[in-house]
C-alpha cells in the first residue's frame, strides 16, 4: 500500500526520493509528497493523484537539501486530498507513515486539550504532534520517537526528520515493513527494496519494534527500550532491470508472459527426476511434515484462491483434511485446531497485514508448526514462519497478481506431492504427477499462444457490465480468480460459482447480455459441466468456454466461443487454465482504457487491516 522513502546524503535528495516513489507506484496510492530539510527549514511539496503531478510542482520550484522523506499515500483516515497527503508537519517535525494508529482519537483529544491544533483528518498527524511535544520537552529526535511509539497502538512504519537535527532521519516499525539501504556517504530508509534498488543493493531488514537512526555516515538500530541491537546486512538479489516494462505495454502483460520462467524457477532444484527433493521447505521440515495430520491454509485475495486449489490437491492425493480461510476472518474467531495441524500462510509480499496477524495469532492456538509460501525472502512472514518455500516469481509490479498466483500453485503442488508421498500415494501415480508438474512451464507457454484469439474475444466485453464465471472441482477456484482479475482491472462486475450452483440462483441473471465464462478441462466432471452449460444455452446466454479438446464442446459454439487449451493433465490444469483468463481480463481492460497496472482504489501490498 503506502510507500516510504527517506535519505540522509551529501547530495540533494529530493530527486532521489521522487525516483524511489515512482518505483513504489505499483503498490497503489492516491497522493504523494516530499519534505526536505533546507537550512533549518522544512520544505515540502504534496499533490493529490500521481507522483508525476507532485514532481511537476517540485520541478517548478525545486529546493536543495541532503535530508528528506517522501511518501505515496493510500487513504485510510481522511479523504485523498492534498491536505491529508504526507509528509505531515507539526512544529519542528515532518513525518511519513504507513499503517493505522488505532488509538489516534484518544491521543488527538489529549493533545488538543493541551492546546495543539491539527490541520488534517489523518492519524499520522497525531504521531507528528506527539513527537513534537516530546521535542519541546528537550528530548533528542531519537528519544522523542522512542517515547512516542511506546504510546502508539496499531501498526506503523514511520520516518521522521526535525529541523533542529539536520542530517538525521529516525524510523520505526511495528506491523508494517521498513528497511535500511546502505550507501557510501549516504543511507536510506524504504518500505520496499524496490524503492532503493536504484541507489543501493545493500539492505538491513528491521524487526518488529525496531527504531533506527540514519545519518549519511552511520546507521544505528535500537529496541523499544532504547538499547542498541544488531541487525544483519543482506545483499538484495533484486535488479533495476527486473522492474522495467521492456517491450510490453503494461507490467501486467509482462508478468503474464514471465510465468513459464517464474514457474520453472520455482520448481528448479526442488523437483528432480524421481520426485520432490529433500528439505525444500527447510531443515526442520522432515520432522514437521512427518507428523502433519491436517492443514489450515490462511491467505487473502488471489493467494486465497491458490489455497483453495491446494485443498483439492492435498485431500485427493495426500488424503489429509484441509481447511482454507480468509485471513481477515481467521483472527476474529476461535477455530477448533485438531492435533498435528500445520498452519500454512500464503502471501505474495509477505507483509499483508491480515495474513501476518493470522500467523502471529496461530502461535497461541496449538498448531504443529507454521509454513510460509511467499515471494519475498526478507519479508516478515518468511522470517517469522517455522518452514518456508519461496515462490521465485521475481518482482511483481502490476496490482492484479498473475505470476505470483501460478508460482504459488507450483509451490503448493510441491507441498501436495511431498505430503502424498509421505502418506502412501501409489509410487507409479506419484511419479506420473511429478512428471506432469515438470511439464507445467511448457504447458503455460502453450496457453500463452492463445493471446491473438483472446484479443479478438475481448472486444465482446467492452460494453458489458456483468459477467459470470463457472468451474467445477479444482477449477472452481480458477473461475474465482478469473472473475477477480476481470473486476480488478476492467471494472466489470463479475462473479464466480461452482457450475452446479447455477440453478440455485445465478441462472436468474442469465440472458443474451450476460457473458458466461466456463473453465472446462477434460476430466470426470466434464459431463456435469456440459449439463450446466446447456442451462445457460437454453436461456440465450453468451457462452465463452475454455476447453482442452474435450469431445462434445463444439456444439456450445453456436451460442458463443470455444477456445482450446492444452491443459497438460488433470493435476496441473488449474494453473494452465488460469493463464487465458488472465489474458482475457488484461485485454478487456486495455480496450476499456482503464489503468491496468494501478486500478482505482486498490493497492499491491495491503499493509493495513
Amino acid at each position: 500500500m503506502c510507500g516510504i522513502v527517506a535519505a540522509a546524503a551529501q547530495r540533494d535528495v529530493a530527486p532521489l526520493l521522487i525516483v524511489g516513489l515512482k518505483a513504489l507506484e505499483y503498490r497503489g496510492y492516491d497522493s504523494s509528497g516530499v519534505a526536505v530539510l533546507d537550512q533549518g527549514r522544512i520544505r515540502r511539496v504534496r499533490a493529490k493523484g500521481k507522483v508525476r503531478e507532485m514532481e511537476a510542482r517540485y520541478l517548478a520550484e525545486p529546493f536543495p537539501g541532503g535530508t528528506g522523506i517522501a511518501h505515496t499515500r493510500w487513504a485510510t483516515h481522511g479523504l485523498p486530498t492534498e491536505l491529508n497527503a504526507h509528509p505531515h508537519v507539526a512544529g519542528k517535525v515532518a513525518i511519513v507513515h504507513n499503517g493505522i494508529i488505532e488509538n489516534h482519537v484518544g491521543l488527538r483529544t489529549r493533545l488538543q486539550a493541551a492546546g495543539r491544533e491539527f490541520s488534517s483528518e489523518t492519524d499520522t498527524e497525531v504521531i507528528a504532534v506527539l513527537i513534537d511535544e516530546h521535542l519541546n520537552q528537550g528530548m533528542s529526535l531519537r528519544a522523542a520517537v522512542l517515547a512516542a511509539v511506546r504510546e502508539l497502538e496499531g501498526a506503523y512504519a514511520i520516518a521522521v526528520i526535525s529541523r533542529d537535527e539536520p542530517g538525521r532521519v529516525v524510523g520505526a516499525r511495528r506491523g508494517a515493513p521498513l528497511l535500511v539501504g546502505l550507501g557510501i556517504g549516504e543511507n536510506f530508509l524504504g518500505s520496499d527494496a524496490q524503492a532503493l534498488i536504484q541507489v543501493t543493493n545493500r539492505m538491513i531488514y528491521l524487526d518488529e519494534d525496531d527504531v533506527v537512526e540514519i545519518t549519511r555516515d552511520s546507521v544505528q538500530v535500537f529496541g523499544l527500550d532504547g538499547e542498541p541491537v544488531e541487525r544483519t546486512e543482506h545483499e538484495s538479489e533484486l535488479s533495476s532491470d527486473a522492474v522495467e516494462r521492456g517491450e510490453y505495454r503494461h507490467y501486467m502483460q509482462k508478468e503474464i508472459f514471465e510465468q513459464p520462467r517464474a514457474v520453472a524457477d520455482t520448481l528448479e532444484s526442488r523437483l528432480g527426476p524421481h520426485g520432490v527433493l529433500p528439505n525444500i521447505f527447510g531443515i526442520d521440515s522432515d520432522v514437521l511434515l512427518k507428523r502433519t495430520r491436517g492443514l489450515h491454509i490462511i491467505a487473502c485475495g488471489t493467494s486465497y484462491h491458490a489455497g483453495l486449489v491446494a485443498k483439492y490437491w492435498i485431500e485427493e492425493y495426500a488424503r489429509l483434511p484441509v481447511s482454507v480461510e480468509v485471513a481477515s476472518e481467521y483472527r476474529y474467531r476461535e477455530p477448533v485446531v485438531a492435533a498435528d495441524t500445520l498452519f500454512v500462510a500464503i502471501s505474495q509480499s509477505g507483509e499483508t497485514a491480515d495474513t501476518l496477524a493470522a500467523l502471529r495469532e496461530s502461535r497461541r492456538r496449538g498448531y504443529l508448526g507454521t509454513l510460509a509460501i511467499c515471494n519475498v525472502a526478507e519479508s516478515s512472514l518468511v522470517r517469522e514462519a517455522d518452514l518456508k518455500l519461496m515462490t521465485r516469481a521475481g518482482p511483481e509490479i502490476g496490482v492484479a497478481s498473475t505470476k505470483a498466483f501460478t508460482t504459488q500453485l507450483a509451490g503448493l503442488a510441491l507441498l501436495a506431492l511431498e505430503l502424498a508421498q509421505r502418506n502412501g500415494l501409489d509410487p507409479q501415480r506419484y511419479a506420473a504427477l511429478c512428471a506432469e508438474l515438470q511439464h507445467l512451464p511448457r504447458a503455460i507457454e502453450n496457453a500463452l499462444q492463445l493471446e491473438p484469439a483472446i484479443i479478438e474475444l475481448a472486444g465482446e466485453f467492452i460494453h458489458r457490465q456483468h459477467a459470470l464465471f463457472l468451474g467445477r472441482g479444482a477449477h472452481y477456484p480458477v473461475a474465482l480468480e478469473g472473475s477477480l482479475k476481470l473486476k480488478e482491472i476492467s471494472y466489470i462486475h463479475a462473479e464466480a460459482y461452482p457450475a452446479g450452483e447455477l440453478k440455485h440462483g445465478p441462472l436468474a441473471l442469465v440472458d443474451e447480455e450476460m457473458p458466461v465464462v466456463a473453465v472446462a478441462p477434460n476430466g470426470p466432471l466434464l459431463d456435469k459441466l456440459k449439463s450446466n452449460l446447456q442451462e445457460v444455452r437454453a436461456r440465450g446466454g453468451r457462452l465463452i468456454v475454455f476447453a482442452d479438446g474435450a469431445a462434445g464442446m463444439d456444439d456450445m459454439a453456436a451460442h458463443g466461443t470455444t477456445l482450446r487449451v492444452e491443459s497438460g493433465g488433470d493435476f496441473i490444469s488449474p494453473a494452465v487454465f488460469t493463464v487465458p483468463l488472465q489474458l482475457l481480463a488484461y485485454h478487456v481492460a486495455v480496450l476499456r482504457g482503464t489503468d491496468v497496472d494501478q486500478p482505482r482504489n486498490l493497492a499491491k501490498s495491503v499493509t493495513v487491516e
Side-chain angles (χ1 to χ4, degrees), residues 288-331:
L288 288 177
L289 295 179
K290 187 180 296 183
R291 290 181 54 194
T292 297
R293 300 272 66 86
L295 297 92
H296 196 166
I297 299 176
I298 301 296
C300 299
T302 287
S303 298
Y304 170 70
H305 297 156
L308 291 174
V309 174
K311 174 182 172 68
Y312 285 92
W313 285 340
I314 295 168
E315 291 193 340
E316 178 176 355
Y317 303 127
R319 307 306 298 155
L320 295 175
V322 180
S323 60
V324 187
E325 190 164 357
V326 174
S328 56
E329 292 294 314
Y330 167 81
R331 63 187 294 206

Side-chain angles (χ1 to χ4, degrees), residues 101 103 107 110 130 134 146-153 174:
I101 305 305
N103 62 333
L107 292 172
R110 189 187 88 197
L130 189 60
H134 291 304
L146 273 164
V149 297
R150 291 184 190 121
E151 298 186 62
L152 302 181
E153 297 174 9
R174 177 189 297 160

Side-chain angles (χ1 to χ4, degrees), residues 259 405-406 409 478 481 573-583:
Q259 288 177 114
F405 180 68
T406 48
L409 290 180
V478 173
E481 178 63 11
S573 66
V576 178
F577 272 83
T578 294
V579 173
L581 300 186
Q582 294 171 345
L583 288 169

Side-chain angles (χ1 to χ4, degrees), residues 62 79 91 107 109 171 176 217 226 252 311 323 358 393 422 470 478 496 560-561:
L79 296 171
L107 292 172
T109 300
D217 299 315
M252 183 178 178
K311 174 182 172 68
S323 60
R422 291 175 179 275
L470 303 176
V478 173
T561 301

Side-chain angles (χ1 to χ4, degrees), residues 171-173 176-183 186-193 196-197 200-208 210-215 217-222 229-237 351 377-380 383:
R173 67 150 296 192
L178 191 67
L179 56 92
V180 180
L182 303 172
E186 56 190 15
N187 290 300
F188 306 88
L189 296 179
S191 53
D192 189 316
L196 306 181
I197 200 64
T200 182
N201 66 346
R202 295 167 54 222
M203 313 283 182
I204 295 174
Y205 293 87
L206 299 175
D207 287 351
E208 284 288 276
D210 278 354
V211 174
V212 62
E213 181 180 80
I214 66 169
T215 68
D217 299 315
S218 67
V219 172
Q220 293 179 285
V221 185
F222 304 87
V229 294
E230 294 293 326
R231 297 290 178 248
T232 304
E233 178 184 330
H234 299 270
E235 187 169 314
S236 176
E237 296 180 0
E351 303 293 349
E378 304 88 353
S379 65
S380 300
R383 284 183 285 145

Side-chain angles (χ1 to χ4, degrees), residues 79-100:
L79 296 171
T81 63
E82 182 179 335
L83 194 64
N84 288 327
H86 300 210
H88 286 284
V89 174
K92 306 178 184 70
V93 167
I95 187 172
V96 291
H97 164 228
N98 292 350
I100 290 178

Side-chain angles (χ1 to χ4, degrees), residues 115-188:
R116 298 300 298 249
E117 296 182 353
F118 292 81
S119 60
S120 77
E121 305 167 85
T122 67
D123 55 342
T124 302
E125 190 181 6
V126 172
I127 314 174
V129 174
L130 189 60
I131 293 171
D132 191 58
E133 282 286 290
H134 291 304
L135 289 177
N136 291 338
Q137 296 169 17
M139 293 185 184
S140 68
L141 179 59
R142 186 179 81 213
V145 170
L146 273 164
V149 297
R150 291 184 190 121
E151 298 186 62
L152 302 181
E153 297 174 9
Y156 57 79
I158 59 173
V160 190
I161 56 176
S162 168
R163 68 184 186 211
D164 288 350
E165 298 190 39
R168 191 178 312 277
V169 183
V170 177
R173 67 150 296 192
R174 177 189 297 160
L178 191 67
L179 56 92
V180 180
L182 303 172
I184 299 173
E186 56 190 15
N187 290 300
F188 306 88

